[in-house]
Structure formats: structure tokens, C-alpha cells
Amino acid sequence: MNALVSVFEAALRLLSPFMPFLTEELWHALYATVGVDAPAKSIALTRHPQAGEYAADATSVHAMETLQELIVTVRGLRKDLSVPEKEATPVQVFAAEPVTKLAEANADMLAKLSRVSAVEVLPSAPTGNNARATANFDVAVVYERQIDVAAERERLEKDLAKFNKGIEAANKQLSNEGFIARAPVHIVEGLKKQFAETSALKEKAEAALAALPKE
């Protein structure tokens, strides 16, 4: 069965305890339509869908996680900028091509879940009070009202302190020859990745801090 039929069949099994007669009819009709014998005489004799039955697609999982992160980041920015809840705003995104395509392809979802009116892809990272940087993308909400400069400076300084602490901790472990010799390869590679990502976020936070208007 193709993916759509598989999802529908699994949904029927989940609904069966709550709608036994309707799901029974639909379940048998579904298998009759696709020309495949049902695995049991009744849907009541089947079990609920198990996570292990559906292999995870790492690429799709990462795409969904990135999209979720984008939605959460935009919503956080809108809150910081005091954008009225019902007012839609454009966003500007700077990222690798797969992420920008993901944002453009899911513009409808962004519109519904984070009030985005349009997605603009930038050739370089946006800076300023209305921008945020993550390990996967940089995004800015285009809105005239600016957030409080003092509060933004305080937020960025806290971020920098957190990034510096993370860099110092990772660097301490990576410079420990005994730890490197004993630690599993994936742990060491994870620390190197964490160090690189945190260093990049630190640079972006420093640039955003420098771009703030002088009080």
C-alpha cells in the first residue's frame, strides 16, 4: 500500500475502539478498494499502530524539526516586537538552500502558525533588533515598531555569556588529551560540532549587539 493508504489504515485502527462499527466498514472497504486481503477478519483483531512499524526518514525528521524551530523563533520575535496577535508580518530568512526552500514551500503553515504574510530569502544574514540567529538559519520579522534597546542589549549580553560558557566548557574537554583518548568518537565529534555552532552563534550575537543604537 502507498503512504496515503497506510496512514489512513493506521488511523482507522486508532479510531476503532471509539467508532467500532464505522471503522469496521471503512477498513474492509479500504482493503477491497486496493485489492489486498485484509490481515484479519475484523479490525478489532488487529493491534494499534506501533512506532517501529514505520521507519523514520532522517531527512524528513530534520526538515520538520527545522520548520518547528522556525515557527517558534518567529513567534518569539513577534512577541519581543509587540506585534499585535492578529497582524501578519513578512519575514526574511537567510540559510542554506534546503532551509529556504522549506520555508517557502511551507508558507501556508507559517502563515497559520506564526502569522507570516510573506517569506523573503536574503543573500546575507539579517542583523538588528528584529533578527534572531540559530544554528540552522537567521530570520528577521519585518515590523516598524522596534523592541526596547536596553532590553535587547541585556538579552544579547545574556546570550553572549551563555555562549562563552558553552565554548569554554567544550574547549576544556577538547583540549584534554586524556578525555579525547578515552571518549567515543561520536562524543568527540558532537563536542566539535557544538563548539563550532556555539562559536557561530556568538559571532552573530556580537554583530547584533554592535548594531544596536547607542543610548
Side-chain angles (χ1 to χ4, degrees):
M1 292 185 291
N2 60 35
L4 181 59
V5 173
S6 297
V7 170
F8 184 56
E9 191 272 345
L12 289 175
R13 282 187 280 145
L14 287 172
L15 280 171
S16 179
F18 307 99
M19 306 172 66
F21 300 109
L22 178 60
T23 53
E24 183 75 23
E25 290 293 330
L26 291 174
W27 190 71
H28 284 289
L30 175 65
Y31 277 99
T33 300
V34 297
V36 178
D37 292 335
K41 291 182 178 181
S42 170
I43 193 173
L45 299 177
T46 63
R47 65 174 183 172
H48 279 176
Q50 306 295 307
E53 296 174 355
Y54 304 92
D57 178 352
T59 301
S60 298
V61 170
H62 179 67
M64 179 56 68
E65 290 174 345
T66 302
L67 186 59
Q68 289 175 329
E69 184 181 20
L70 179 58
I71 290 169
V72 170
T73 304
V74 170
R75 292 177 68 157
L77 260 176
R78 284 173 56 87
K79 183 177 180 180
D80 290 343
L81 292 167
S82 299
V83 179
E85 185 178 348
K86 294 184 179 181
E87 184 174 343
T89 55
V91 297
Q92 299 171 325
V93 179
F94 169 72
E97 186 178 4
V99 178
T100 56
K101 285 188 175 180
L102 179 70
E104 292 176 319
N106 290 277
D108 289 346
M109 186 179 296
L110 290 171
K112 292 177 181 177
L113 298 180
S114 51
R115 298 290 183 183
V116 170
S117 59
V119 177
E120 178 188 359
V121 177
L122 297 181
S124 59
T127 59
N129 302 337
N130 63 330
R132 290 286 184 277
T134 74
N136 293 313
F137 56 80
D138 294 74
V139 63
V141 171
V142 182
Y143 188 65
E144 290 184 2
R145 184 184 302 170
Q146 298 296 311
I147 60 176
D148 182 82
V149 174
E152 179 67 2
R153 178 173 284 107
E154 182 180 358
R155 185 191 70 80
L156 287 170
E157 288 174 347
K158 286 182 179 179
D159 282 350
L160 279 172
K162 180 179 68 176
F163 296 150
N164 283 328
K165 186 176 180 180
I167 290 171
E168 182 180 353
N171 192 44
K172 184 177 180 180
Q173 288 182 294
L174 290 172
S175 60
N176 185 331
E177 295 182 1
F179 170 78
I180 295 297
R182 294 190 303 271
V185 174
H186 72 277
I187 296 295
V188 176
E189 292 302 316
L191 279 172
K192 290 180 179 179
K193 182 180 179 182
Q194 176 187 337
F195 179 83
E197 290 180 350
T198 306
S199 298
L201 290 174
K202 176 187 174 183
E203 291 179 5
K204 292 174 180 179
E206 288 174 337
L209 187 61
L212 287 175
K214 304 296 181 181
E215 294 182 329

